[in-house]
Amino acid sequence: MEPESLGAEQGASLPGPADELGTLLGQDAALPKLSGGELESKSDLIDDKEFDIPQVDTPPTLESILNETDDEEESFVLEDPSLLNIDNIDTHSYDTSSLASSDSGDRTHSKRKKKLPDSFSLHGSVVRLSLLKGISAQIVSAADKVDAGLPTAIAASSLIAVGTSHGLALIFDPNQALRLCLGSTAVGAQYGAISALSINNDCSRLLCGFAKGQITMWDLASGKLLRSITDAHPPGTAILHIKFTDDPTLAICNDSGGSVFELSFKRVMGVRTCESRCLFSGSKGEVCCIEPLHAKTELRDHPITQYSLLAMASLTKILVIGLKPSLKVWMTFPYGRMDPSSVPLLAWHFVAAQNSVNPMLAFCRGDVVHFLLVKRDDSGAIHVTKQKQLHLHYDLINFTWINSRTVVLLDSVEKLHMIDRQTQEELETIEISEVQLVYNSSHFKSLATGGNVSQALALVGERACYQSISSCGGQIFYLGTKSVHVMMIRSWRERVDHLLKQDCLTEALALAWSFHEGKAKAVVGLSGDANKRKSVLADRMVEILFHYADRTLKKCPDQGKIQVMEQHFQDMVPVIVDYCLLLQRTDLLFSQMYDKLSENSVAKGVFLECLEPYILSDKLMGMTAQVMKDLLLHYQDKNLMEDMEACIVHMDITSLDIQQVVLLCWENHLYDAMIYVYNSGMNDFISPMEKLFKVIAPPLNAGKSLTDEKVVMGNKLLVYISCCLAGRAYPLGDIPEDLVPLVKNQVFEFLIRLHSAEASADEEVYPYVRTLLHFDTREFLNVLALTFEDFKNDKQAVEYQQRIVDILLKVMVENSDFTPSQVGCLFTFLARQLAKPNNTLFVNRTLFDQVLEFLCSPDDDSRHSERQQVLLELLQAGGIVQFEENRLIPMAEKAEFYQICEFMYEREHLYDKIIDCYLRDPVRKEEVFNYIHNILSIPGYSAEEKQSVWQKAMKHIEELLLLSPNKAADLIATHFNDQIEGIIKNLQDQFLLFQFLRSLLDPREGINQDMLQISPCVTEQFIELLCHYNPDHVLETLQVLEFYRLEETIQITQKHLLHEASSYLLEKKGDIHGAFLVMLEQLRSKLLMLTCEIEESTELHLLKDIEDTLVKTIALCQRNSHSLNQQQREALWFPLLEAMMSPQKLSSSTVLCQYSEPLKSLTMQVLNNMAAFIALPSILQRILQVSSRGRENIVSIQDPVYGRGKLGEIQGLVLGMLDTFNYEQTLLETTTNLLNHDLHWSLCNLRASITRGLNPKQDYCCICLQQYKRRQEMADEIIVFSCGHLYHSLCLLSKECGIETKGQMRWTCYKCNSSNKGGKLSENFSELKKGNGASLAQTSSESLLDSQQIQAFDQLCRLYRGTSRLALLTELSRTHGGEKHGLLNVSQGDPALNSVFQNENFQLHLTPPPLTEE
């Protein structure tokens, strides 16, 4: 029997009480195996109510039953008969087909659920849950016929013990036969239900714990009662747990009082006794779970077993104690935060970790499982190491080890989860609600003894099922209300077969392969060494593959589109190919599988295409000739030429017809494949080159351009030659080492042939070298250079190098059809070779001179930049040593090769001459600035070199300025700062000087002005040039410039009649009136122009100018009115008003009639703006006063425009001013009312808060903790805070919580301050109270604000963050006492200058009401 069976112990039923019970129960007890017919006949006797069959309100219709899917039901699974003898399994198995079947459940944890992987597709069905029909039937019969009651507890070993609610213990053997019935209902009535069971190691003793606290011990061989223990623990408490230890004379019990006791069994003089010792008292915290460490027989000698370890779980922590040699606590571990209703769980198991086997304790309460590895060191001490935790998304009610790697968890909604401990991967989930698991709630609540338990223990007991689940030998038994189920891990073969029965062939193959590779989880049934296991699995996989192939062909759709058939086979066939190659069974793949699939042409095509990725990744090297031939024909038929070429270069084609394959490749332009076939099939490396040369040579020799196809051929030819000369195979891999020298020689000899094999009479010499040079000179020479790198310095290699160089020179130098670039490439290549330290080549130096002459030919202007670049590359490659330098520079200058000149001058450190090269070179002129800057600023150049460059730059400074004034100015500011004034004097061109100074001095150009050291006269010179060349930008430039003198600059702007600039400068100087007069004169002159007859197009432009000038003048007045007294303000605003009104006096002018409205609008704009600074009565008085003064005085009502006794012309102005006044007065009154109401509300709240009585929280000082009456000195006062804390004043002073300000103490609460250290510190200022005896009285009756009032008022001020309300009220009362318009009547004295209403933050920027048209 396999290890997961119930046990090996078998035999006939023993005589005793069981026989009597069997007689009472009838034949079903003795014959537990019922046939299907018998079950069917007995179904009539089943009571719906007893079995909890729910009533159905609306029976389903026939149609709904027929349409139901049977996904959740499995087909009948034939179990291995060598396993448990449990009538095999019923047709409705508990196996789950996927996680989808377990979606419903715990609503309380639905928010915590995570998306789980589909474990069924990875692991198949790992576990089998089966009903033990024999035991289940006998439990039900016992309840019916002998009043045994419902089952309450189970214990499993080689026997199974089931306890009942009426005090009986039923003992079953592995064949489910009832062997013993221990106890009687009479004893059950006295002791209550069996609440706990335990069987010892050798299955000879049974301990029964009862709901009323008694304990009995039975001999399982004879069925005799050995002990009846009633005094082992306090009476009135139920036995929650009873556990044998590995020592058969020692057991542990745990009662509903939360206490744990050790029971020692002894036999003295034939008398059996039991001694009890309390290990843990429930008064210190109730223990609700205990678990002694049990070791298997093979581990009994483990050093840790001598301690007899016991794990206990209380409601708050875990304890591990040692019972031997003396009682000792080895570890405690608190839970932390958890749900108080969650069940504490404990489980031991020996695991292999860190090269040794040691016990591991798993404990859990809630949704986190902790693992603790327990070790014993050499000194005998025990060490506990935390392992990786298991975080779940559900709460647990049971935890069971099924083996050292796999655990089975039961969650609160009765779902089983099998989990691999090391990877924490969930292998399977099973719903077991149909088991109707028995819960131990009544024992945890101790209902049999009156319910005398704590609420916390009763709450845990709601979901406790400790005694309903028992494990033994890799099996877990679950006790239901009317049944017993067993769960075990399926064997590997059973898991595979289970998937096959569900028609999941792909998953079955994947699972079998994971077994083959040793990556599967929870594997049972595989034995032997690795090779044997793999052999067994490979044979099984081959069987499945044959079945899979048959099903693939059988399930192919016979009708429909060809695409549907292709899709079917594309889904199925790759699986066969995959696993055949994984198993390295190419013989099977290309014989039986291929023959089978070839029966269908579509399947055959898909099979051949499936081979491509394996061929390309070199996983499939050896194929039969027939398959290769079919593969090529298939690709040819489907015109998949590129795919065919990719496959050919990875295949061994020696078994095919080489010529046929070559012809196929050539016709379809598969050049890579053709070369590969020649090379690997025939070891022929020359023929491919000949075939390609024949195609590309004729057009190149004729000077024609190549087609795209021929360019591709040429490129492949170059790469092929490069690979051959480097010893690499084309297009991939390496040439066999023994062939490398031969291939190199063959290819060289071929390239340097004097004539081709089928040469015509007019063919030029060395046709192959010539063709490659014409095709791509640079790349061909690169190929040769790489080849020369690989050559060893033997005699033959040196000869080959010299020979190829001589041929190259002969072909290119003696021929005129090569471009300068091509010739230059050759000599660059030669220069690099000659510059090598181990060079053995010889090249005639006169050839380099010829090349120099050719490249520097001054009469050839074509390809100038190309020739220069070629020569530069030649020099940089080492060709400089081949030329005479004194001859090279003149030739380069003559040819205008300035980069060559720069290269030569740099070698000689003549950096100053390089400046000339840049200035002469039209392409690189702009780069001269960077070059000069780098030389002068980067270290590494000598002082003499830098000086020469500096002098050369100074010499060409004007040329540099002409080139780029901005860059030149930046350069001068950085490196020629002290020469600026000299440069300015030497510049004759005034416009160039202007550009230079603008770039230098205008901060907007980006030059840092702080680094310039120039006199103000230079800035003034720039301003004068600016006035001349760009007058429109003078004002904005003056606003950003800094270093100029005001007087001199004013003279410059006045000289050039730039009035706005002059006004700005005068204002900056402080002459406000002078600035105003300049703007006023400008305005008057423009208004005067309006009275002249002008064109209509000019009129609009002039009006716009007038408006702009007026806006700027108003802005000037507004900016400065704040700092002027009333008289000075009137001197600004009244002349401006007069200037705007004076043109309207000329009513005789017909021109002005059409401008009267715009002029009135502008005049109104002046009035609105001046009203903020001039009192309204003064403005009206000035407008309306009758005066006989001349035309230059203020306008009077006798003036023609307002005269003739009419006020009609100024009615609009006056009404507009009055509307503005009314609007502002209403706004002011509303604001005043709001402020008064706001302040009154704030002060009322403040008064209410500070007059409220204080209620101390305690009658003692919070610092010294003495009663407030006990003062240290007479001067000691009692301080009470609004927060309720009370202190002695001396105590507060000792803690530095009192500050004296203005002769008064301000206190802060010590406790409140110390508790707010990390956050916002809130000062609670105290209400000062002085104590005499027991009375509390205020210390001061003065009308001054005390400290708490001051603090509250400060907080109020900070809250509104504006001008103080008291200041506002003071200002309002001062101004409100005058006339009605007192606030605006600021002409008397000058209070407005200091008024809070003139504060910029207080002013309201509002638009006045619109003017009403008459």
Side-chain angles (χ1 to χ4, degrees):
M1 189 175 291
E2 292 190 14
E4 64 267 18
S5 63
L6 272 173
E9 194 174 305
Q10 298 183 16
S13 300
L14 297 173
D19 293 337
E20 298 170 17
L21 182 63
T23 307
L24 291 170
L25 294 178
Q27 294 302 317
D28 54 346
L31 301 171
K33 304 176 185 176
L34 299 176
S35 66
E38 288 172 319
L39 278 174
E40 218 165 40
S41 65
K42 290 183 180 290
S43 63
D44 305 341
L45 306 175
I46 298 175
D47 180 32
D48 286 2
K49 187 174 181 182
E50 181 186 353
F51 279 84
D52 271 349
I53 299 174
Q55 295 294 323
V56 180
D57 297 331
T58 307
T61 63
L62 177 62
E63 184 181 0
S64 68
I65 294 171
L66 292 175
N67 290 334
E68 273 184 359
T69 59
D70 49 358
D71 292 341
E72 296 186 7
E73 289 193 4
E74 292 184 355
S75 56
F76 181 80
V77 181
L78 180 63
E79 303 296 341
D80 189 339
S82 67
L83 299 177
L84 257 182
N85 186 7
I86 51 172
D87 286 356
N88 299 323
I89 192 165
D90 59 349
T91 52
H92 297 285
S93 170
Y94 287 95
D95 296 325
T96 54
S97 57
S98 74
L99 284 175
S101 64
S102 59
D103 283 344
S104 61
D106 187 1
R107 292 184 182 177
T108 60
H109 297 105
S110 60
K111 293 182 181 178
R112 292 194 282 165
K113 284 192 175 182
K114 299 175 184 174
K115 177 78 174 169
L116 295 174
D118 185 1
S119 59
F120 178 78
S121 61
L122 294 173
H123 310 288
S125 178
V126 184
V127 298
R128 181 179 68 226
L129 184 69
S130 308
L131 173 66
L132 296 179
K133 293 183 180 179
I135 296 176
S136 301
Q138 292 176 83
I139 290 173
V140 174
S141 295
D144 290 343
K145 298 184 178 180
V146 297
D147 194 25
L150 294 174
T152 56
I154 189 169
S157 182
S158 53
L159 298 174
I160 298 175
V162 177
T164 70
S165 59
H166 290 176
L168 298 182
L170 309 179
I171 312 301
F172 300 92
D173 66 12
N175 294 318
Q176 302 186 56
L178 181 66
R179 288 183 56 178
L180 295 168
C181 177
L182 307 176
S184 65
T185 54
V187 174
Q190 181 185 352
Y191 289 178
I194 290 180
S195 56
L197 291 170
S198 179
I199 301 174
N200 66 356
N201 283 332
D202 59 3
C203 213
S204 61
R205 298 287 184 269
L206 172 72
L207 278 173
C208 301
F210 289 86
K212 293 185 179 179
Q214 294 84 354
I215 299 170
T216 60
M217 179 187 282
W218 299 85
D219 185 338
L220 290 177
S222 63
K224 291 181 180 179
L225 177 66
L226 301 180
R227 289 179 177 86
S228 183
I229 306 164
T230 57
D231 57 353
H233 67 105
T237 55
I239 298 296
L240 301 183
H241 301 276
I242 185 86
K243 303 274 187 181
F244 270 113
T245 66
D246 282 345
D247 181 354
T249 66
L250 206 63
I252 312 295
C253 77
N254 173 208
D255 63 17
S256 60
S259 299
V260 180
F261 294 88
E262 177 190 76
L263 307 178
S264 297
F265 305 118
K266 295 181 181 178
R267 188 170 182 178
V268 182
M269 303 292 291
V271 178
R272 291 186 172 90
T273 61
C274 176
E275 294 179 4
S276 173
R277 176 173 65 152
C278 182
L279 300 177
F280 189 90
S281 171
S283 62
K284 298 178 182 177
E286 294 138 310
V287 170
C288 51
C289 180
I290 60 172
E291 197 64 48
L293 174 61
H294 290 290
K296 295 180 181 178
T297 308
E298 60 269 21
L299 291 170
R300 292 283 162 81
D301 296 331
H302 195 287
I304 210 160
T305 57
Q306 63 183 323
Y307 294 98
S308 192
L309 293 181
L310 171 69
M312 301 186 293
S314 74
L315 296 178
T316 57
K317 60 187 174 184
I318 300 292
L319 295 94
V320 175
I321 66 173
L323 302 177
K324 297 179 180 179
S326 59
L327 190 64
K328 183 172 182 179
V329 178
W330 287 108
M331 184 210 74
T332 59
F333 193 98
Y335 295 122
R337 297 181 62 182
M338 68 333 183
D339 182 358
S341 66
S342 55
V343 184
L345 302 171
L346 295 169
W348 288 99
H349 204 283
F350 279 87
V351 299
Q354 300 169 3
N355 301 323
S356 62
V357 176
N358 286 294
M360 181 175 283
L361 175 65
F363 73 88
C364 169
R365 188 172 184 190
D367 57 0
V368 179
V369 182
H370 302 264
F371 294 97
L372 301 177
L373 188 65
V374 181
K375 287 183 178 181
R376 174 186 178 275
D377 62 14
D378 297 336
S379 65
I382 287 178
H383 298 282
V384 179
T385 311
K386 278 188 184 181
Q387 305 295 303
K388 185 179 180 183
Q389 295 176 352
L390 174 61
H391 292 270
L392 307 167
H393 57 279
Y394 42 80
D395 285 339
L396 295 185
I397 59 173
N398 180 261
F399 180 102
T400 310
W401 293 89
I402 199 163
N403 57 44
S404 62
R405 286 184 60 100
T406 314
V407 297
V408 177
L409 314 178
L410 179 64
D411 68 17
S412 55
V413 293
E414 297 191 2
K415 285 183 186 174
L416 283 177
H417 305 264
M418 174 172 273
I419 291 180
D420 183 78
R421 182 186 63 82
Q422 291 183 347
T423 62
Q424 300 194 353
E425 183 179 359
E426 187 162 272
L427 307 181
E428 190 170 6
T429 303
I430 301 177
E431 177 75 56
I432 65 160
S433 56
E434 295 180 26
V435 172
Q436 297 183 14
L437 195 68
V438 171
Y439 286 88
N440 314 132
S441 308
S442 61
H443 309 315
F444 272 78
K445 295 177 182 178
S446 200
L447 298 181
T449 61
N452 52 342
V453 298
S454 69
Q455 289 184 353
L457 190 64
L459 185 62
V460 168
E462 291 289 345
R463 293 191 289 181
C465 56
Y466 296 109
Q467 305 303 325
S468 311
I469 300 171
S470 180
S471 65
C472 176
Q475 299 169 326
I476 306 176
F477 296 86
Y478 296 93
L479 181 65
T481 55
K482 296 179 178 64
S483 62
V484 176
H485 289 73
V486 64
M487 191 203 77
M488 63 186 74
I489 299 178
R490 296 178 186 269
S491 69
W492 72 268
R493 192 179 294 275
E494 192 181 346
R495 284 166 68 180
V496 173
D497 291 344
H498 180 79
L499 288 170
L500 292 175
K501 287 182 177 71
Q502 294 194 345
D503 210 24
C504 300
L505 272 70
T506 309
E507 289 82 357
L509 284 166
L511 181 61
W513 180 249
S514 69
F515 289 137
H516 185 278
E517 293 300 293
K519 295 179 180 177
K521 308 286 191 303
V523 184
V524 173
L526 274 178
S527 57
D529 61 12
N531 292 331
K532 184 181 176 183
R533 292 198 299 270
K534 287 189 175 185
S535 175
V536 171
L537 285 159
D539 292 343
R540 183 66 180 128
M541 288 182 73
V542 168
E543 293 173 17
I544 299 171
L545 283 170
F546 277 118
H547 178 47
Y548 187 86
D550 291 336
R551 195 188 72 162
T552 299
L553 293 169
K554 186 178 177 181
K555 290 202 171 184
C556 174
D558 296 332
Q559 299 175 348
K561 295 182 179 179
I562 191 71
Q563 289 88 345
V564 178
M565 293 178 67
E566 283 184 351
Q567 186 59 50
H568 167 74
F569 286 117
Q570 283 168 3
D571 292 340
M572 308 290 280
V573 173
V575 177
I576 299 172
V577 179
D578 276 343
Y579 285 107
C580 283
L581 292 176
L582 285 171
L583 293 169
Q584 298 179 351
R585 292 295 303 272
T586 52
D587 57 327
L588 177 70
L589 180 66
F590 294 129
S591 55
Q592 292 158 284
M593 289 295 176
Y594 183 59
D595 294 342
K596 195 181 287 285
L597 294 172
S598 296
E599 296 169 9
N600 185 303
S601 59
V602 179
K604 180 180 179 181
V606 172
F607 176 86
L608 293 170
E609 288 174 22
C610 285
L611 301 178
E612 181 184 343
Y614 298 98
I615 294 171
L616 297 183
S617 59
D618 294 325
K619 292 178 181 175
L620 183 59
M621 298 298 292
M623 287 191 291
T624 61
Q626 184 59 45
V627 174
M628 273 196 282
K629 187 176 179 182
D630 291 349
L631 179 66
L632 297 180
L633 288 173
H634 174 74
Y635 277 126
Q636 190 175 11
D637 292 342
K638 298 198 79 172
N639 199 29
L640 300 171
M641 293 305 163
E642 290 184 5
D643 296 333
M644 182 167 77
E645 181 176 40
C647 288
I648 288 174
V649 300
H650 286 268
M651 287 163 44
D652 179 8
I653 44 80
T654 51
S655 57
L656 296 181
D657 185 343
I658 301 295
Q659 294 301 327
Q660 187 179 355
V661 177
V662 168
L663 183 62
L664 177 69
C665 294
W666 185 258
E667 288 174 351
N668 292 285
H669 311 294
L670 308 181
Y671 305 116
D672 287 354
M674 180 202 72
I675 294 170
Y676 174 80
V677 171
Y678 268 118
N679 292 170
S680 62
M682 297 185 289
N683 282 341
D684 183 354
F685 292 85
I686 303 303
S687 296
M689 288 194 289
E690 288 180 333
K691 290 179 78 71
L692 293 173
F693 269 118
K694 283 180 182 177
V695 177
I696 66 170
L700 282 172
N701 293 334
K704 297 178 182 177
S705 59
L706 297 179
T707 62
D708 291 345
E709 177 68 26
K710 290 178 180 176
V711 169
V712 170
M713 293 172 69
N715 286 327
K716 288 183 182 295
L717 179 59
L718 274 175
V719 177
Y720 173 59
I721 292 169
S722 175
C723 287
C724 290
L725 295 176
R728 296 191 306 274
Y730 181 86
L732 46 91
D734 291 301
I735 299 172
E737 287 188 16
D738 55 331
L739 291 178
V740 171
L742 178 64
V743 171
K744 283 187 178 181
N745 290 339
Q746 285 181 354
V747 173
F748 254 120
E749 290 292 345
F750 173 77
L751 289 177
I752 60 178
R753 284 181 186 174
L754 194 61
H755 287 287
S756 58
E758 301 172 1
S760 60
D762 58 344
E763 183 186 71
E764 296 188 63
V765 292
Y766 306 114
Y768 301 130
V769 171
R770 189 181 303 275
T771 300
L772 291 172
L773 287 171
H774 275 298
F775 175 72
D776 194 329
T777 310
R778 188 181 297 276
E779 287 306 318
F780 177 51
L781 293 173
N782 283 342
V783 168
L784 292 178
L786 290 172
T787 307
F788 287 1
E789 291 286 341
D790 292 339
F791 268 157
K792 296 173 184 175
N793 282 328
D794 56 12
K795 186 177 179 182
Q796 187 180 14
V798 171
E799 289 176 1
Y800 269 127
Q801 288 184 49
Q802 187 63 53
R803 193 170 171 194
I804 196 78
V805 166
D806 293 342
I807 291 170
L808 290 171
L809 290 169
K810 183 172 180 62
V811 169
M812 293 194 78
V813 177
E814 296 179 6
N815 202 310
S816 61
D817 56 354
F818 288 98
T819 65
S821 179
Q822 289 173 315
V823 175
C825 284
L826 171 63
F827 278 90
T828 302
F829 163 74
L830 292 176
R832 288 197 179 107
Q833 298 303 318
L834 293 171
K836 288 181 182 177
N838 55 351
N839 170 53
T840 56
L841 294 175
F842 170 75
V843 179
N844 193 340
R845 190 162 181 171
T846 56
L847 289 173
F848 280 92
D849 292 338
Q850 291 176 17
V851 170
L852 183 61
E853 291 283 353
F854 168 68
L855 292 175
C856 293
S857 175
D859 53 349
D860 182 11
D861 291 334
S862 64
R863 306 191 183 202
H864 178 274
S865 61
E866 180 188 342
R867 288 185 289 118
Q868 179 176 217
Q869 194 60 36
V870 166
L871 183 56
L872 186 60
E873 285 182 16
L874 176 57
L875 295 176
Q876 289 171 341
I880 187 73
V881 298
Q882 307 296 331
F883 300 109
E884 295 179 11
E885 294 186 20
N886 55 0
R887 181 165 176 261
L888 179 58
I889 293 176
M891 290 187 71
E893 289 178 345
K894 188 176 180 182
E896 298 181 353
F897 287 174
Y898 296 114
Q899 290 184 45
I900 306 297
C901 296
E902 181 187 349
F903 177 78
M904 298 303 297
Y905 289 142
E906 194 159 357
R907 281 173 54 86
E908 298 174 13
H909 303 288
L910 300 175
Y911 301 110
D912 55 330
K913 292 192 176 182
I914 295 177
I915 295 175
D916 293 323
C917 295
Y918 276 107
L919 291 173
R920 291 180 198 168
D921 192 343
V923 180
R924 301 188 306 146
K925 271 188 177 183
E926 294 278 342
E927 296 176 25
V928 69
F929 299 102
N930 285 335
Y931 177 76
I932 295 171
H933 174 71
N934 290 340
I935 295 289
L936 295 177
S937 58
I938 295 176
Y941 300 99
S942 67
E944 294 79 8
E945 290 166 350
K946 290 188 177 185
Q947 184 62 25
S948 64
V949 169
W950 191 89
Q951 289 173 352
K952 176 68 80 170
M954 278 297 295
K955 182 179 177 183
H956 290 282
I957 205 75
E958 191 165 355
E959 194 174 347
L960 292 172
L961 282 166
L962 283 168
L963 187 59
S964 173
N966 286 343
K967 292 182 178 179
D970 192 12
L971 186 69
I972 290 168
T974 308
H975 300 290
F976 303 91
N977 200 348
D978 54 346
Q979 301 293 319
I980 290 176
E981 294 189 14
I983 293 170
I984 293 170
K985 289 178 183 175
N986 294 331
L987 281 176
Q988 302 300 319
D989 186 340
Q990 291 298 300
F991 183 71
L992 182 61
L993 177 60
F994 163 64
Q995 288 181 305
F996 167 55
L997 289 175
R998 181 174 61 186
S999 302
L1000 188 69
L1001 299 177
D1002 195 334
R1004 291 168 297 183
E1005 297 294 335
I1007 294 176
N1008 185 2
Q1009 300 297 303
D1010 295 335
M1011 60 188 286
L1012 297 177
Q1013 299 173 357
I1014 53 176
S1015 62
C1017 61
V1018 174
T1019 310
E1020 291 151 15
Q1021 186 179 1
F1022 163 57
I1023 294 170
E1024 186 155 14
L1025 289 168
L1026 184 65
C1027 292
H1028 178 71
Y1029 289 108
N1030 200 351
D1032 293 340
H1033 290 80
V1034 172
L1035 179 58
E1036 61 185 58
T1037 306
L1038 285 172
Q1039 289 169 345
V1040 297
L1041 284 178
E1042 296 179 5
F1043 306 109
Y1044 59 85
R1045 295 168 296 184
L1046 287 172
E1047 289 294 344
E1048 287 74 2
T1049 311
I1050 291 169
Q1051 291 175 13
I1052 294 168
T1053 54
Q1054 289 176 344
K1055 172 185 168 185
H1056 289 86
L1057 303 177
L1058 297 176
H1059 303 294
E1060 286 184 28
S1062 300
S1063 174
Y1064 168 76
L1065 292 169
L1066 287 167
E1067 183 184 1
K1068 191 173 181 181
K1069 179 185 172 184
D1071 185 0
I1072 308 301
H1073 195 69
F1076 171 73
L1077 289 176
V1078 170
M1079 293 302 293
L1080 185 64
E1081 188 59 36
Q1082 180 76 356
L1083 181 65
R1084 283 174 174 166
S1085 65
K1086 290 182 179 179
L1087 287 168
L1088 189 61
M1089 288 174 65
L1090 200 63
T1091 60
C1092 305
E1093 298 288 341
I1094 52 176
E1095 296 179 6
E1096 187 175 347
S1097 60
T1098 315
E1099 292 170 5
L1100 295 174
H1101 181 66
L1102 185 58
L1103 273 174
K1104 186 74 174 66
D1105 277 356
I1106 291 171
E1107 186 177 358
D1108 289 345
T1109 307
L1110 180 63
V1111 168
K1112 290 172 184 174
T1113 310
I1114 290 172
L1116 170 68
C1117 295
Q1118 284 179 323
R1119 278 196 305 271
N1120 295 284
S1121 289
H1122 294 290
S1123 59
L1124 301 176
N1125 59 31
Q1126 193 65 24
Q1127 185 178 358
Q1128 290 168 330
R1129 291 178 189 174
E1130 291 177 358
L1132 290 183
W1133 288 103
F1134 285 147
L1136 180 60
L1137 180 64
E1138 176 192 357
M1140 287 307 301
M1141 296 178 68
S1142 60
Q1144 301 174 54
K1145 292 185 289 186
L1146 305 173
S1147 57
S1148 60
S1149 172
T1150 55
V1151 180
L1152 284 172
C1153 295
Q1154 55 186 327
Y1155 303 130
S1156 59
E1157 287 305 320
L1159 287 173
K1160 282 182 182 179
S1161 174
L1162 294 174
T1163 307
M1164 198 64 209
Q1165 190 175 347
V1166 175
L1167 286 169
N1168 285 335
N1169 282 287
M1170 69 188 292
F1173 304 101
I1174 309 294
L1176 191 58
S1178 299
I1179 300 172
L1180 289 172
Q1181 183 180 357
R1182 208 58 178 262
I1183 293 174
L1184 297 173
Q1185 91 183 69
V1186 178
S1187 172
S1188 59
R1189 281 178 290 174
R1191 207 162 181 66
E1192 69 277 11
N1193 292 330
I1194 296 176
V1195 173
S1196 75
I1197 202 158
Q1198 300 300 324
D1199 290 326
V1201 71
Y1202 304 120
R1204 301 186 184 88
K1206 293 181 180 179
L1207 288 173
E1209 295 298 331
I1210 62 169
Q1211 183 182 1
L1213 295 176
V1214 175
L1215 288 177
M1217 293 170 64
L1218 290 173
D1219 283 343
T1220 303
F1221 169 75
N1222 289 332
Y1223 169 70
E1224 291 182 349
Q1225 185 182 30
T1226 304
L1227 182 65
L1228 181 62
E1229 288 174 354
T1230 305
T1231 306
T1232 306
N1233 288 335
L1234 287 172
L1235 287 170
N1236 285 333
H1237 178 270
D1238 188 15
L1239 186 63
H1240 179 264
W1241 175 84
S1242 300
L1243 291 174
C1244 282
N1245 283 342
L1246 179 61
R1247 182 177 177 278
S1249 65
I1250 64 176
T1251 55
R1252 189 180 298 119
L1254 300 180
N1255 180 25
K1257 292 179 181 177
Q1258 62 278 321
D1259 61 352
Y1260 56 85
C1261 172
C1262 292
I1263 294 176
C1264 66
L1265 303 180
Q1266 298 292 324
Q1267 199 171 23
Y1268 70 89
K1269 297 178 183 178
R1270 298 185 180 180
R1271 293 177 291 169
Q1272 299 175 15
E1273 301 174 11
M1274 288 304 294
D1276 199 0
E1277 298 170 338
I1278 296 165
I1279 312 296
V1280 182
F1281 289 91
S1282 57
C1283 56
H1285 295 127
L1286 180 147
Y1287 303 92
H1288 294 124
S1289 60
L1290 293 179
C1291 294
L1292 275 180
L1293 283 174
S1294 69
K1295 297 294 184 182
E1296 298 180 352
C1297 291
I1299 304 169
E1300 187 172 358
T1301 54
K1302 300 179 182 178
Q1304 190 174 9
M1305 290 299 295
R1306 300 181 69 178
W1307 304 96
T1308 55
C1309 177
Y1310 171 68
K1311 276 195 131 182
C1312 296
N1313 276 350
S1314 60
S1315 63
N1316 289 336
K1317 278 179 183 175
K1320 185 178 177 182
L1321 194 63
S1322 61
E1323 288 191 351
N1324 292 312
F1325 287 101
S1326 66
E1327 177 81 41
L1328 189 60
K1329 309 276 184 177
K1330 186 179 288 184
N1332 278 325
S1335 64
L1336 293 173
Q1338 290 191 356
T1339 59
S1340 174
S1341 60
E1342 296 178 13
S1343 60
L1344 293 173
L1345 291 175
D1346 67 10
S1347 58
Q1348 198 164 21
Q1349 290 171 326
I1350 292 170
Q1351 182 222 12
F1353 189 75
D1354 289 345
Q1355 287 180 341
L1356 197 64
C1357 289
R1358 283 199 300 273
L1359 176 66
Y1360 291 97
R1361 297 183 185 278
T1363 308
S1364 161
R1365 274 119 175 106
L1366 292 177
L1368 294 175
L1369 287 175
T1370 304
E1371 184 71 27
L1372 288 169
S1373 63
R1374 186 180 64 181
T1375 56
H1376 203 64
E1379 300 176 17
K1380 188 79 174 173
H1381 55 270
L1383 188 63
L1384 297 176
N1385 188 13
V1386 292
S1387 59
Q1388 299 171 1
D1390 199 18
L1393 294 179
N1394 300 316
S1395 171
V1396 295
F1397 301 109
Q1398 296 300 327
N1399 186 335
E1400 188 178 350
N1401 293 328
F1402 184 80
Q1403 287 181 354
L1404 298 173
H1405 303 286
L1406 301 169
T1407 305
L1411 293 171
T1412 55
E1413 295 183 2
E1414 295 179 1

